[in-house]
Amino acid sequence: MDAVDDISTARRWLILGCSLLAALTTTSVVSGVAYLIPSLHTDAGLTLTQASTLAAVPTVGLMAATFPWGILLDRYGERRILLVSLTITLAGAGAAAVAASVAASYVVVGGALLIGGLGSGAANGASGRIVVGWFPAHQRGTAMGIRQMAQPLGIGVCALTMPVVAASHGPAAALAIPAVVTAAGLVAVIVGITDPPRRGAAERIGETVAPRPNPYRGNSFLARVHLVSMLLVIPQSMLWTFVPTWLIVAHGWSPAGAGLLITVTQVTGALGRIVAGRWSDAWMSRMRPIRIIAVAGVASMFALALADWLDSPWAPALMAVATVISVADNGLAFTAIAEFVGPDWSGRGLAVQNTGQHLVVAATTPLLGALIAAVGFPLAFAVTALAPLAAAPFVPRDRAREPGELMDA
């Protein structure tokens, strides 16, 4: 771990903060459009399925580009790739806002959002590599929990601002918000990101580099982590995408009130990720907390479905609880994958993780929208609870790739 001590503690945490902001751009660009679904549905005349499909377009771009970005990260490092990717993201997000402001068709807007999604595919993997590269094992869960705050904080920013701006100034003005966030993330990369040392990346014999073998061969650990994460992202996607519509359209909340509740929930979820990370550091286990989180996810989603079916006033509070639980596992899985595959493969390993999750989000968002339109929110919440129920038995035991890392639990 000597290389980790090459920089000061303050510098290490500054790099973490900048990587968090870089990752926040991905959430804002990819997930922000979901907070325009009520406006697109009620004001622009799109059906719920059409609006949901438009909201899924950036996710399609993200999914398509994440693995190529991961290969480039493994080859060229974090800072250089982040500069390129965030520049593309900013171009796409800005073009979407401009296209909407001149009343271009939603096909054109969707094309710009696709470009933004394609550019955003590097930020999550790069920031995960930065955490594993600059923090020792006993701090990585906590540090990754802080980095993983980017998702709920990005959702909170979008939820607090985009519905209100759309209601008062139209969707075009609201689409400018992800572009502004991306610009801030690009500045953070320029100012604060330093590539971590490639500790243990290869063994050198003279001038010959012996790379690590493919970590996917010979065991099922990574495949099971990916599968579990793909299942656990389904309730997260449901809650992040359709809760604004649930509150505003189904329950008559104002955009400002819905945005405030969602923002408070997302901030709480962000703090919950830090708690989950600290929990995993204390247990020196990433998988056991994930197994508990999956079981809690089943209970919380069924409770929300029942409360909504009974039209209980407790339903919004149960939604908040379910949302916090649904985001708690992400940082743990990310950390476990990066620790297991090592720096030679972390770009690709995290890219597979992200691609799998975003594939599920892109595929299920229109399906969930159609399900809600057909049977209503309560039954759709209950169906979503089946995903963490299926995930729990597949959570693997902890695995260690190097001495000093996690041991079998």
Side-chain angles (χ1 to χ4, degrees):
M1 295 299 176
D2 292 341
V4 175
D5 299 323
D6 287 347
I7 61 172
S8 68
T9 299
R11 176 63 180 165
R12 184 183 299 123
W13 289 97
L14 174 64
I15 292 172
L16 174 60
C18 291
S19 68
L20 185 155
L21 186 53
L24 193 148
T25 66
T26 296
T27 303
S28 298
V29 171
V30 172
S31 302
V33 183
Y35 293 88
L36 300 181
I37 289 177
S39 177
L40 294 171
H41 179 50
T42 59
D43 300 332
L46 275 67
T47 68
L48 187 59
T49 302
Q50 289 171 332
S52 302
T53 301
L54 184 64
V57 166
T59 303
V60 173
L62 176 63
M63 175 190 67
T66 296
F67 191 75
W69 282 122
I71 295 173
L72 293 173
L73 282 167
D74 286 338
R75 181 167 182 177
Y76 296 108
E78 294 79 5
R79 177 182 168 85
R80 187 184 306 177
I81 297 305
L82 279 173
L83 290 173
V84 174
S85 68
L86 289 187
T87 300
I88 296 172
T89 306
L90 180 58
V98 171
S101 70
V102 298
S105 73
Y106 281 99
V107 174
V108 175
V109 175
L113 291 172
L114 181 65
I115 293 172
L118 289 169
S120 66
N124 283 331
S127 56
R129 286 166 54 98
I130 287 168
V131 168
V132 173
W134 281 123
F135 285 84
H138 68 279
Q139 293 181 340
R140 284 183 199 146
T142 305
M144 190 70 82
I146 294 172
R147 208 295 297 167
Q148 291 291 100
M149 289 174 66
Q151 285 182 304
L153 288 179
I155 293 294
V157 168
C158 293
L160 189 63
T161 58
M162 293 184 74
V164 176
V165 172
S168 57
H169 300 289
L175 284 170
I177 292 171
V180 172
V181 173
T182 303
L186 182 58
V187 171
V189 171
I190 294 171
V191 172
I193 295 296
T194 302
D195 287 350
R198 299 292 293 264
R199 297 175 291 109
E203 297 175 357
R204 294 184 176 274
I205 304 174
E207 295 299 321
T208 302
V209 177
R212 284 188 170 189
N214 188 332
Y216 284 88
R217 295 175 180 170
N219 72 88
S220 63
F221 177 78
L222 291 172
R224 290 177 67 173
V225 173
H226 294 324
L227 174 61
V228 167
S229 298
M230 290 167 68
L231 289 168
L232 292 181
V233 83
I234 293 175
Q236 177 181 313
S237 175
M238 161 67 92
L239 294 167
W240 282 10
T241 303
F242 293 104
V243 160
T245 305
W246 179 63
L247 291 172
I248 296 169
V249 177
H251 290 276
W253 284 49
S254 69
L260 180 61
L261 175 60
I262 293 168
T263 300
V264 171
T265 300
Q266 293 297 331
V267 170
T268 305
L271 297 175
R273 289 189 170 191
I274 300 177
V275 173
R278 185 67 191 93
W279 177 17
S280 76
D281 285 340
W283 280 12
M284 284 303 291
S285 170
R286 314 300 182 201
M287 294 297 106
R288 282 186 291 164
I290 289 179
R291 189 176 296 111
I292 294 171
I293 290 165
V295 174
V298 176
S300 63
M301 288 303 297
F302 274 127
L304 173 58
L306 179 61
D308 195 34
W309 180 62
L310 296 174
D311 200 22
S312 169
W314 288 99
L318 289 171
M319 177 278 297
V321 171
T323 301
V324 171
I325 293 171
S326 74
V327 302
D329 64 286
N330 293 53
L332 306 182
F334 235 61
T335 307
I337 291 167
E339 288 176 332
F340 185 78
V341 302
D344 274 356
W345 278 85
S346 59
R348 282 162 284 184
L350 296 176
V352 172
Q353 171 77 356
N354 279 323
T355 300
Q357 288 188 301
H358 291 303
L359 175 62
V360 170
V361 171
T364 59
T365 296
L367 294 177
L368 291 172
L371 179 64
I372 292 167
V375 302
F377 277 101
L379 185 54
F381 287 143
V383 171
T384 305
L386 299 177
L389 181 63
F394 289 99
V395 178
R397 298 174 65 188
D398 289 286
R399 295 289 299 273
R401 285 277 284 185
E402 297 180 7
E405 300 292 354
L406 299 178
M407 301 301 293
D408 286 349

